[in-house]
């Protein structure tokens, strides 16, 4: 009993000593690594700073919150009181920019929207007011109010916005006030804006309020096309706006034709012949219906009677054929550009299926290939992301790569402490690969030459005796295979199978690409080599099973006496009990007794 208790206590002491020695070794390695590489971050957490209390206000001064409360205004409506700030104060306090970037400033795009609204008011309603009897002395003041409101928008566009637009000269972005103003005054845009605001309205006092005198207001078409370009640049699905705009072109052509038909009918006399408008029903709707049938050449129209009617009808037919063919061509181009990616995807998939059928690929493999095409297209909207970035400058590709991948790569322990520019160069070498469910990402025994970063989906690490036991499931943002990038001797072998659990989108970094990058960053290369050796050493350490018979001890037992030496001692005993060998034999027996 005494011997068993002594052996148990010695085993406990041995385990504690092992733990202490292990902790001291880890601490020593961390200190050595910190001394050799100051960039390595410590594992200790940074203490969180306690929030500082705001200093009390001076005794003679009130806090800002109290002043703000006093400055608030109130508006009483019915039984409620609402807080508000006077709109004039808000306008005065708005920091209007001294220069405007026309390519990226959303406020300028919004202003162009109002300018285009004013331009559309003139383009659509000037023909209506000229041809149809909708402008009467009873409502003339409403028409004039809207007209001069549009003129005010035109004027503000010249005085406030156009003279503040930045421009490029000699590769430099010019934002100087005087230079911007001079550039606008010398441009074709300024000349057209001045023509748009010709004060022909003064002729109203002589000829009356004739809407045709406002026709120059329709010449501000440059703002319309600029608005189209800016809006398409910020829309994610610009083809929808292009379809709407092309449809609006067709509707406007029909609108102008209906106005001309009513004018021709009024010139000939309403109801004078079977060809002209008879004056019954809604005049605009009936004339618009006639314009649709004429421009689209549906037929079924009454025959013109007079020479004027015949010439007018011929011009309508020629214009209709030309305008309708142009609209159909534009619509085809818009739809074709919108579905160009889908068409490319279909052509690639059809070519691949044709190839597999020609070589009689098994149906199961063909189904997996089709599934890969469909998932890749629907998840990414493209088959190869790198095709979109080929035409961009290297700096822009780097900016996009940083926004997409840096948050993931920066968390990899292997690359922490490395040169930041080296990580940026590495981001541009990452390539995206999609794996189908149950696809092997890597197999046990393969030479590892890639590192994998999970962008979306999950992968499972398989092991065990049958190689099918799930050891761990890695999710989005996890990294595996990073040690193989720096392993010497042609790479290290994979120790487990990694299988995609569902659809998985991974970023892959090849060992060859990393070696090409590290040539320019020797310090980072040394750091990575040191970290890789440490990670390999930790992975190769045998796992300790506490309480087992194979535990390593701090003070190992004495090795047994070699058999050849024991034979020599036995021979010496036969010769005699004296001499050096006899003395050694006596010592050996004493040691055995102590061990027992």
């Amino acid at each position: 009993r005494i011997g068993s208790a002594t052996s148990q206590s010695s085993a406990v002491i041995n385990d504690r000593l092992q733990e202490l020695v292990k902790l001291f070794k880890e601490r020593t390695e961390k200190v050595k690594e910190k001394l050799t590489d100051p960039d390595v971050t410590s594992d200790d957490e940074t203490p969180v700073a306690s929030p500082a209390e705001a200093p009390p206000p001076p005794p003679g001064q009130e806090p800002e919150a109290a002043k703000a409360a006093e400055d608030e205004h109130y508006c009483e409506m019915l039984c409620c009181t609402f807080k508000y700030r006077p709109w004039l104060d808000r306008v005065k306090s708005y920091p209007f920019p001294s220069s405007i970037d026309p390519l990226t400033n959303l406020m300028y795009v919004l202003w162009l929207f109002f300018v285009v609204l004013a331009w559309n008011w003139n383009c659509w309603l000037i023909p209506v007011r000229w041809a149809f009897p909708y402008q009467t002395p009873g409502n003339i003041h409403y028409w004039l109010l809207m007209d001069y409101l549009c003129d005010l928008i035109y004027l503000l566009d010249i005085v406030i916005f156009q003279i503040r637009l930045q421009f490029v000269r000699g590769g430099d972005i010019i934002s100087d006030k005087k230079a911007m103003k001079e550039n606008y005054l010398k441009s074709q845009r300024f000349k057209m804006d001045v023509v748009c605001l010709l004060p022909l309205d003064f002729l109203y006092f002589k000829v009356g309020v004739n809407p045709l005198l406002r026709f120059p207001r329709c010449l501000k078409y440059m703002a319309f096309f600029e608005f189209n370009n800016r809006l398409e640049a910020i829309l994610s699905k610009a083809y929808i706006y292009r379809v709407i705009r092309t449809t609006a072109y067709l509707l406007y052509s029909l609108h102008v034709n209906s106005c001309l038909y009513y004018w021709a009918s009024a010139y000939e006399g309403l109801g004078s012949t079977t060809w002209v408008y008879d004056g019954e029903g809604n005049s605009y709707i009936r004339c618009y219906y006639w314009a649709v049938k004429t421009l689209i050449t549906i037929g079924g129209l009454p025959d013109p009677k007079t020479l004027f009617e015949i010439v007018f009808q011929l011009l309508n037919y020629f214009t209709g054929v030309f305008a309708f063919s142009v609209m159909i061509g534009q619509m085809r181009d818009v739809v074709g550009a919108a579905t160009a990616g889908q068409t490319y995807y279909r052509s690639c998939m059809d070519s691949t299926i044709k190839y597999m059928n020609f070589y009689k690929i098994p149906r199961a493999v063909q189904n997996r290939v089709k599934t890969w095409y469909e998932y890749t297209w629907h998840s990414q909207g493209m088959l190869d992301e790198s095709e979109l970035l080929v035409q961009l400058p290297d700096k822009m590709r780097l900016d996009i790569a940083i926004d997409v991948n840096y948050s993931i790569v920066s968390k990899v322990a292997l690359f922490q402490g490395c040169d930041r520019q080296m990580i940026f160069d590495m981001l541009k070498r990452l390539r995206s690969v999609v794996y189908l469910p149950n696809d092997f990402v890597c197999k046990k025994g393969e030479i590892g030459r890639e590192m994998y970063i999970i962008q979306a989906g999950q992968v499972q690490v398989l092991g065990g005796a049958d190689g099918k036991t799930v050891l761990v499931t890695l999710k989005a943002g996890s990294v595996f295979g990073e040690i193989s990038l720096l392993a010497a001797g042609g790479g290290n072998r994979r120790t487990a199978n990694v299988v995609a659990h569902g659809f998985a989108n991974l970023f892959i970094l090849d060992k060859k690409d990393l070696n090409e990058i590290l040539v320019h960053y020797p310090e980072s290369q040394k750091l990575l080599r040191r970290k890789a050796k440490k990670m390999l050493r930790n992975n190769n350490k045998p796992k300790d099973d506490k309480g087992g018979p194979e535990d390593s001890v701090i003070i190992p037992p004495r090795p047994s006496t070699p058999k050849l030496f024991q034979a020599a001692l036995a021979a010496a005993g036969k010769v005699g009990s004296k001499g050096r060998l006899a003395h050694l034999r006596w010592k050996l027996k004493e040691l055995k007794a102590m061990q027992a």
Side-chain angles (χ1 to χ4, degrees):
R1 293 180 180 177
I2 298 176
S4 62
T6 305
S7 60
Q8 290 179 1
S9 61
S10 62
V12 172
I13 294 173
N14 193 19
D15 292 340
R16 296 302 300 273
L17 289 175
Q18 287 182 16
E19 294 178 0
L20 290 175
V21 171
K22 188 176 180 180
L23 292 174
F24 282 132
K25 284 184 178 180
E26 291 179 357
R27 184 64 179 174
T28 305
E29 290 180 358
K30 289 181 181 180
V31 173
K32 289 172 62 178
E33 188 174 358
K34 184 67 178 178
L35 292 175
T36 55
D37 184 15
D39 294 332
V40 177
T41 57
S42 175
D43 295 338
D44 299 335
E45 296 183 355
T46 303
V48 181
S50 59
E53 297 181 356
Q61 184 178 0
E62 297 181 356
E64 295 182 359
K67 289 186 176 181
E70 292 179 359
D71 294 339
E72 289 179 344
H73 298 266
Y74 293 87
C75 176
E76 294 185 359
M77 295 178 59
L78 299 179
C79 60
C80 303
T81 303
F82 301 95
K83 297 180 181 179
Y84 80 101
R85 289 186 61 189
W87 65 271
L88 187 59
D89 293 345
R90 292 198 297 266
V91 173
K92 290 181 180 180
S93 61
Y94 179 75
F96 199 83
S98 59
S99 63
I100 301 174
D101 185 2
L103 301 179
T104 60
N105 195 312
L106 296 180
M107 182 192 67
Y108 180 64
V109 178
L110 180 61
W111 171 251
L112 285 178
F113 172 74
F114 291 107
V115 176
V116 170
L117 280 181
W119 179 75
N120 275 278
W121 167 271
N122 292 313
C123 291
W124 285 79
L125 292 179
I126 286 177
V128 173
R129 295 161 60 187
W130 165 71
F132 292 91
Y134 292 151
Q135 178 177 299
T136 60
N139 59 16
I140 187 65
H141 54 281
Y142 295 112
W143 293 103
L144 293 180
L145 177 63
M146 291 301 302
D147 288 344
Y148 295 132
L149 179 61
C150 295
D151 293 348
L152 177 62
I153 294 177
Y154 281 16
L155 184 62
L156 292 177
D157 183 56
I158 297 175
V159 176
I160 298 179
F161 287 89
Q162 296 300 322
I163 62 174
R164 286 180 167 86
L165 293 184
Q166 301 175 2
F167 65 98
V168 178
R169 182 172 60 191
D172 297 331
I173 300 177
I174 307 301
S175 57
D176 181 69
K177 292 184 178 180
K178 184 177 180 181
M180 291 186 296
K181 184 177 181 180
E182 292 178 354
N183 178 72
Y184 172 64
L185 295 178
K186 295 179 181 178
S187 64
Q188 184 70 20
R189 177 77 172 266
F190 173 72
K191 298 176 183 178
M192 296 299 299
D193 290 345
V194 171
V195 173
C196 289
L197 289 176
L198 286 177
L200 300 180
D201 301 52
F202 288 108
L203 297 178
Y204 287 169
F205 298 104
K206 186 175 182 181
V207 299
V209 182
N210 190 345
L212 288 180
L213 294 176
R214 293 187 55 82
F215 180 76
R217 305 295 191 273
C218 299
L219 298 179
K220 201 175 179 63
Y221 60 90
M222 299 180 71
F224 172 70
F225 290 110
E226 183 183 7
F227 174 73
N228 292 333
N229 296 333
R230 301 292 176 264
L231 187 61
E232 291 179 6
I234 63 177
L235 290 178
S236 58
K237 295 183 179 180
Y239 66 89
I240 298 178
Y241 174 72
R242 298 190 189 106
V243 171
I244 296 175
R245 185 182 62 201
T246 305
T247 306
Y249 289 160
L250 177 60
L251 296 177
Y252 184 74
S253 301
L254 298 173
H255 169 77
V256 173
N257 195 33
S258 64
C259 295
L260 292 175
Y261 175 66
Y262 185 88
W263 169 81
S265 299
Y267 178 78
E268 287 285 306
L270 297 180
S272 59
T273 63
T274 57
W275 181 83
V276 300
Y277 169 59
D278 56 5
E280 297 181 0
N282 189 294
S283 58
Y284 181 78
I285 297 298
R286 289 181 173 272
C287 292
Y288 200 91
Y289 172 74
W290 182 91
V292 171
K293 295 181 67 175
T294 303
L295 286 184
I296 305 179
T297 62
I298 295 177
L301 296 172
D303 295 331
K305 302 300 182 182
T306 64
L307 179 62
F308 176 81
E309 294 175 355
I310 294 174
V311 173
F312 188 90
Q313 186 73 12
L314 288 175
L315 293 177
N316 260 278
Y317 279 140
F318 288 139
T319 305
V321 171
F322 175 75
F324 197 68
S325 60
V326 170
M327 298 302 170
I328 293 297
Q330 280 197 356
M331 192 68 70
R332 182 200 61 190
D333 295 339
V334 170
V335 175
T339 59
Q342 185 79 11
T343 304
Y344 173 72
Y345 154 69
R346 288 295 178 187
S347 63
C348 291
M349 189 172 181
D350 294 341
S351 301
T352 305
I353 294 175
K354 184 178 180 180
Y355 172 84
M356 292 188 296
N357 291 333
F358 180 79
Y359 286 99
K360 299 180 180 179
I361 304 298
R363 184 62 58 183
V365 178
Q366 292 192 25
N367 292 336
R368 292 184 66 82
V369 172
K370 294 177 184 178
T371 304
W372 181 88
Y373 267 106
E374 292 178 0
Y375 176 79
T376 303
W377 173 257
H378 290 297
S379 62
Q380 300 180 168
M382 65 198 74
L383 297 178
D384 189 2
E385 295 179 348
S386 60
E387 293 181 356
L388 298 178
L389 307 179
V390 171
Q391 300 177 353
L392 295 179
D394 189 69
K395 182 61 173 61
M396 290 186 180
R397 290 204 302 270
L398 175 60
D399 293 340
I400 295 176
I402 291 174
D403 293 335
V404 176
N405 306 327
Y406 182 76
S407 60
I408 299 177
V409 177
S410 60
K411 298 177 182 178
V412 181
L414 184 62
F415 300 122
Q416 291 181 357
C418 294
D419 193 302
R420 188 180 181 87
Q421 188 60 41
M422 188 273 292
I423 298 180
F424 290 165
D425 293 344
M426 186 180 64
L427 292 177
K428 295 185 294 184
R429 303 296 185 97
L430 294 177
R431 54 188 177 91
S432 178
V433 178
V434 175
Y435 288 90
L436 301 183
N438 300 323
D439 274 355
F440 279 92
V441 180
C442 57
K443 293 184 178 181
K444 183 178 180 179
E446 291 181 345
I447 300 298
R449 298 184 179 89
E450 302 92 8
M451 180 191 74
Y452 301 91
I453 303 174
I454 304 176
Q455 181 188 17
Q458 299 179 0
V459 298
Q460 292 180 339
V461 182
L462 305 181
D466 56 352
K468 298 181 180 180
T469 304
V470 179
L471 302 179
V472 66
T473 300
L474 303 178
K475 300 182 180 180
S478 301
V479 180
F480 60 95
E482 65 271 23
I483 302 178
S484 62
L485 294 180
L486 298 170
N492 68 304
R493 295 187 180 274
R494 306 290 189 187
T495 59
N497 296 327
V498 180
V499 180
H501 181 62
F503 292 96
N505 195 340
L506 307 182
F507 286 123
I508 298 179
L509 177 64
D510 292 332
K511 183 175 183 178
K512 179 181 177 182
D513 294 335
L514 181 61
N515 290 335
E516 292 177 357
I517 296 173
L518 291 179
V519 172
H520 307 286
Y521 303 95
E523 296 298 329
S524 297
Q525 185 176 17
K526 293 179 182 178
L527 176 61
L528 290 177
R529 296 288 184 189
R530 187 165 59 252
K531 287 187 175 182
K533 290 180 181 179
K534 180 181 176 182
M535 296 175 73
L536 284 173
R537 186 169 59 252
N538 294 336
N539 290 342
N540 293 332
K541 285 182 179 180
K543 295 183 180 180
D544 296 335
D545 296 329
K546 293 186 178 182
E550 298 179 356
D551 286 349
S552 59
V553 294
I554 301 301
I555 304 176
R558 292 179 179 271
S560 59
T561 306
K563 294 182 179 180
L564 182 61
F565 189 56
Q566 289 181 357
L569 291 177
K574 292 180 181 180
V575 175
S577 58
K578 295 182 179 181
R580 184 174 295 275
L581 291 175
H583 180 69
L584 290 175
R585 183 187 177 192
W586 177 79
K587 284 286 187 183
L588 181 59
K589 288 182 178 181
E590 186 179 3
L591 289 175
K592 286 183 178 181
M594 292 176 62
Q595 292 180 0

